[in-house]
Amino acid sequence: MRLVFMGPPGAGKGTQARAVAQRCGIPHVSSGDIFRAEIDNKTPLGLKIRSYLETGELVPDPITVEAVAGRLAAADCAAGWLLDGFPRTLGQAEALDRALAAGGDKLCAVVNLEVEPEIIVRRMGGRRSCPKCGRIYHVEFIRPRVQGACDVCGAALVARQDDKPDTVRERLATYHRQTAPLVEYYERQGLLVRVDGGGTPDEVRARLFEQLKAFVGR
Ligand code: AP5
Ligand code: MG
């Protein structure tokens, strides 16, 4: 099964992608998580891309395509994957199509999580994540059992550097300029599944599973 999760920053892609990947038994591959790990580990790639994430711009296509392709070449991705946050430009989408075609594979579906702008800003403003296992929380909507600590591994939760108001504004503008046009690209291919991302995480998850039924196993 090969799925793509799209949607504006803060829509809930990471939150839902984790659950869907787990239920389907496929790895959750998030380009943002890959980049943040490189930055945290101060690798040469991390040093090169740091400024893009800090300002809310997209990392250039050649770097992004290489990083994601490297992850998809790993053994655990052989039977499928769920891509979260990639592709984000037409160039990335075309690179993915070429790679899939070369392997005789195709996408099952592209989920577009649709959420109102006011909700997005509130969701990003209160986001906290676990630096160890990546689990995502919200100070108001999705609280950990013990304030400030991850339910799974107990690590101290952190706010993302790019969730500052100025960077959030830039990320939203980048999304509308460079990523939103992909909705039409996948709609034309008959792959797009529009999912209402409003409501509680459980409500969104239930909608997602219901709508994905028709596409799974294609
Ligand atoms: P990335 O990490 O992909 O960030 P993003 O797309 O901006 O999306 P987010 O992770 O901010 O939001 P999300 O939709 O995952 O929401 P979440 O589930 O966390 O990318 C970061 C940067 O990396 C980019 O700006 C760019 O620089 C670079 N990059 C990444 N991919 C790239 C690419 N392909 N090309 C070039 N550059 C790339 O939820 C948000 C909050 O809401 C959380 O607090 C959560 O707990 C809460 N929440 C979620 N669902 C609900 C709900 N239903 N109700 C209430 N609260 C909810
Ligand atoms: Mg995310």
Side-chain angles (χ1 to χ4, degrees):
M1 171 127 130
R2 290 175 177 80
L3 291 173
V4 166
F5 267 46
M6 283 181 44
K13 300 183 294 297
T15 302
Q16 298 299 336
R18 276 182 156 244
V20 171
Q22 206 168 20
R23 167 98 68 106
C24 298
I26 50 177
H28 166 213
V29 177
S30 154
S31 45
D33 287 350
I34 293 174
F35 289 150
R36 279 184 289 277
E38 297 283 342
I39 292 170
D40 289 348
N41 294 326
K42 299 188 171 59
T43 65
L45 173 60
L47 295 174
K48 209 189 300 181
I49 61 174
R50 193 177 159 168
S51 63
Y52 296 104
L53 277 90
E54 278 174 358
T55 53
E57 287 170 73
L58 292 185
V59 174
D61 281 357
I63 301 177
T64 303
V65 169
E66 192 183 331
V68 174
R71 175 65 187 93
L72 297 185
D76 66 330
C77 289
W81 32 253
L82 189 164
L83 276 175
D84 160 9
F86 179 95
R88 247 169 157 107
T89 65
L90 195 55
Q92 292 176 16
E94 287 168 351
L96 179 62
D97 282 351
R98 282 194 297 275
L100 284 166
D105 296 321
K106 53 185 181 167
L107 287 174
C108 300
V110 175
V111 168
N112 193 43
L113 266 187
E114 300 180 335
V115 180
E116 297 297 321
E118 314 82 73
I119 298 181
I120 285 177
V121 172
R122 286 185 68 192
R123 286 187 183 176
M124 279 197 280
R127 174 167 42 198
R128 298 290 180 273
S129 18
C130 175
K132 219 163 145 194
C133 72
R135 201 178 165 111
I136 308 163
Y137 299 87
H138 190 282
V139 290
E140 192 184 339
F141 307 133
I142 305 165
R143 296 183 187 170
R145 281 193 292 273
V146 176
Q147 196 186 345
C150 179
D151 290 349
V152 182
C153 56
L157 302 180
V158 294
R160 255 171 57 179
Q161 287 297 319
D162 60 351
D163 279 344
K164 291 185 211 117
D166 281 358
T167 320
V168 164
R169 262 193 297 280
E170 183 54 38
R171 285 162 61 204
L172 284 167
T174 302
Y175 169 79
H176 288 294
R177 210 169 43 236
Q178 291 179 269
T179 308
L182 286 187
V183 169
E184 205 189 311
Y185 177 84
Y186 285 120
E187 191 145 50
R188 277 203 305 271
Q189 295 188 25
L191 289 170
L192 196 75
V193 185
R194 291 177 188 272
V195 177
D196 175 2
T200 67
D202 286 349
E203 286 167 348
V204 179
R205 190 152 40 248
R207 258 179 238 138
L208 254 169
F209 283 127
E210 186 56 35
Q211 289 184 244
L212 274 177
K213 265 191 211 157
F215 290 82
V216 172
R218 265 180 161 192

